[in-house]
Amino acid sequence: MEIKFQKEYLADIYQGTIKKYKEYKSNKPLVVQYIKVIDKLKSITKKEQLYQIKSLRYEKLTGDLKGYSAVAVNMQYRIIFTEVASSSDELTIDIFEIEELSKHYEN
C-alpha cells in the first residue's frame, strides 16, 4: 500500500517532525494515535479490510465532502482521504491520498 500526503504537515507529523506545529507538539497522544492509524492504513490491501478493522470507524463522507472517506484517529479527530483504486482489481486500493487531519464536527 502506498500513502501520499497531500499536505506537508501530515507527512511531518507521521515522520515525527512536529516541532513547528504547536497544536500537535502539545498533544503527544494524538500524534501517537495518528501514526498507528496511518500504519494500519499502510497494511491494508483490500477495501473490505477498512470495514473489518472496527477501531478505524471507516465511513464514506457525504455532503460537502462527498467523494472522500474518513477513519477515526480518536473521538475528536479523523483522517480524511481519497481512495485511488488499482487498475487491475477494483477491490484493491493502491494509494491513499491523505487530505487532512481534522477535528470532527468543528466549524
Side-chain angles (χ1 to χ4, degrees):
M1 176 74 57
E2 181 183 352
I3 293 185
K4 291 183 181 177
F5 297 95
Q6 295 298 320
K7 297 179 181 164
E8 181 183 358
Y9 83 97
L10 296 169
D12 287 347
I13 294 169
Y14 181 68
Q15 295 165 355
T17 24
I18 57 172
K19 292 179 182 177
K20 58 184 174 181
Y21 306 105
K22 186 176 181 180
E23 179 181 357
Y24 303 109
K25 184 179 177 183
S26 63
N27 196 345
K28 186 72 172 167
L30 172 64
V31 171
V32 169
Q33 191 61 32
Y34 171 76
I35 292 169
K36 284 181 184 179
V37 171
I38 295 295
D39 287 341
K40 283 181 187 177
L41 290 176
K42 280 185 169 186
S43 70
I44 290 173
T45 57
K46 294 192 178 198
K47 188 174 181 175
E48 292 83 19
Q49 292 173 317
L50 289 168
Y51 293 104
Q52 293 170 350
I53 303 172
K54 298 292 184 195
S55 64
L56 291 178
R57 297 194 313 271
Y58 169 74
E59 63 178 326
K60 291 277 195 180
L61 300 177
T62 58
D64 293 342
L65 294 173
K66 187 173 183 173
Y68 293 100
S69 300
V71 292
V73 175
N74 59 24
M75 294 303 285
Q76 190 176 14
Y77 285 87
R78 64 184 178 178
I79 297 171
I80 299 173
F81 60 93
T82 55
E83 304 164 26
V84 180
S86 171
S87 57
S88 62
D89 182 2
E90 288 300 315
L91 299 177
T92 302
I93 302 168
D94 279 339
I95 301 169
F96 283 121
E97 293 182 356
I98 307 296
E99 299 290 333
E100 74 178 285
L101 176 64
S102 70
K103 280 192 172 180
H104 199 59
Y105 302 117
E106 184 177 272
N107 292 330

